[in-house]
Amino acid sequence: MDGLHRSTDPRDYQNVPQPIVVMSKRFDDGHTIPLHNHARDQLLYAVGGIMRLQTMHHAWLVPPDGAICIPGGTDHTVTMFGDVEMRTLYIDVAAVRARPQPLCVIAVTSLMRELILALSKEPIAYTAGSRAAHIARMIELEIEAARQLALHVPLPADRRLQNMCAALLADPSDGRTLEQWSHQSGASARTLARLFERDLGMGFNAWRQRVRFQSAVEALSRGQPVSLVAHKHGYSSPSAFTAAFRRAMGMPPSALAVQGNRATPALRPDESA
């Protein structure tokens, strides 16, 4: 067990007796971890950089000061934007007292951030009543109380929406209305609107805005100026984009760009996290 806290192999963290353990790993900009899953629940947090996680049915953006809860057994890929210094918490849901979280992005408070960093520096083989055990319990409480962020984009199964949604994912600035899309999709605007509500759980405009914000965060993380990002994502002015972005993300895009560009030295990653 000695030195296990230095391992970057996720398999070393699945069967330990501790209820919460932390793995530290760094990834280069643009790296994609291929489809995989783990036995334990995960909390995926990036100290620096931005991550996009995708399952069969959803795409999730994980911005700075956010983390994603991943139930055990969930197949997913992870793509890095900027050099990502990742902290992965592996959680034995049978051993913790907190209610397990669904697949979602949560806001990471300053306290949670410091607790995660503190536990990542503790030996993995901690004992009950130790400093590490108390930190782990506090992390449980912070996860349970965390605010969820609406940063996922549901992906359609209905063929009438698939081409349309794929086109919008490829070009988030596309400003065509449902009426205009109806000519291409073979369904009326009313039918398309009903399909968005039924299959994706939100209206067309709300879905397109989420796509735009995911793409915008990725662009900001690569250092593109706010004015250019606003124009590329269909906003008439940087001020309109900034106002909408602040309402959805809780911070202005300029602040996110600064956080997203925090550079961290990258080690050669393994093929899972």
Side-chain angles (χ1 to χ4, degrees):
M1 189 69 69
D2 182 48
L4 183 57
H5 63 286
R6 292 190 294 273
S7 173
T8 58
D9 187 340
R11 293 172 294 184
D12 289 335
Y13 296 82
Q14 305 306 310
N15 298 307
V16 295
Q18 288 72 27
I20 300 179
V21 288
V22 182
M23 182 182 72
S24 301
K25 189 180 290 190
R26 293 172 180 172
F27 295 91
D28 290 320
D29 177 29
H31 182 81
T32 295
I33 302 172
L35 193 69
H36 69 287
N37 66 65
H38 300 292
R40 282 194 172 200
D41 280 25
Q42 292 176 266
L43 183 75
L44 212 58
Y45 171 61
V47 178
I50 292 169
M51 301 176 290
R52 183 175 64 207
L53 181 140
Q54 188 161 335
T55 67
M56 289 292 292
H57 304 293
H58 291 85
W60 301 81
L61 182 72
V62 189
D65 298 326
I68 188 163
C69 300
I70 311 169
T74 302
D75 291 330
H76 60 281
T77 65
V78 185
T79 301
M80 315 302 165
F81 296 91
D83 292 336
V84 170
E85 185 176 349
M86 185 186 292
R87 299 291 183 271
T88 303
L89 279 65
Y90 293 102
I91 303 170
D92 180 359
V93 294
V96 298
R97 287 170 279 179
R99 174 180 56 84
Q101 289 277 8
L103 183 60
C104 65
V105 175
I106 61 173
V108 174
T109 63
S110 297
L111 175 58
M112 188 190 296
R113 171 189 167 89
E114 294 307 318
L115 289 169
I116 291 171
L117 295 179
L119 188 58
S120 71
K121 297 175 184 176
E122 292 287 322
I124 196 163
Y126 59 82
T127 57
S130 65
R131 177 176 183 267
H134 289 302
I135 293 172
R137 175 56 183 152
M138 291 179 69
I139 290 173
E140 281 186 55
L141 296 174
E142 284 296 292
I143 294 173
E144 192 172 33
R147 176 173 58 93
Q148 292 190 19
L149 303 176
L151 295 175
H152 76 285
V153 174
L155 303 176
D158 190 287
R159 60 176 179 78
R160 289 168 290 184
L161 292 185
Q162 286 177 343
N163 290 339
M164 172 183 171
C165 290
L168 286 166
L169 286 166
D171 181 12
S173 66
D174 192 318
R176 280 179 283 182
T177 65
L178 279 181
E179 287 76 14
Q180 292 170 315
W181 279 110
S182 67
H183 300 300
Q184 179 176 323
S185 65
S188 68
R190 180 175 296 181
T191 296
L192 292 175
R194 186 172 65 251
L195 288 171
F196 267 95
E197 293 288 352
R198 187 195 71 187
D199 293 356
L200 301 180
M202 64 185 70
F204 167 67
N205 288 332
W207 186 89
R208 181 168 60 183
Q209 186 182 62
R210 288 199 188 184
V211 170
R212 286 177 171 178
F213 284 157
Q214 280 208 6
S215 176
V217 169
E218 294 167 7
L220 291 166
S221 76
R222 298 189 184 281
Q224 294 187 18
V226 172
S227 58
L228 179 60
V229 173
H231 174 72
K232 284 185 174 181
H233 292 83
Y235 284 84
S236 58
S237 68
S239 60
F241 170 72
T242 296
F245 193 94
R246 186 192 291 271
R247 285 194 300 270
M249 303 290 288
M251 66 178 73
S254 57
L256 189 59
V258 170
Q259 294 183 58
N261 281 311
R262 290 175 183 160
T264 56
L267 302 178
R268 182 178 179 179
D270 297 331
E271 283 305 303
S272 59

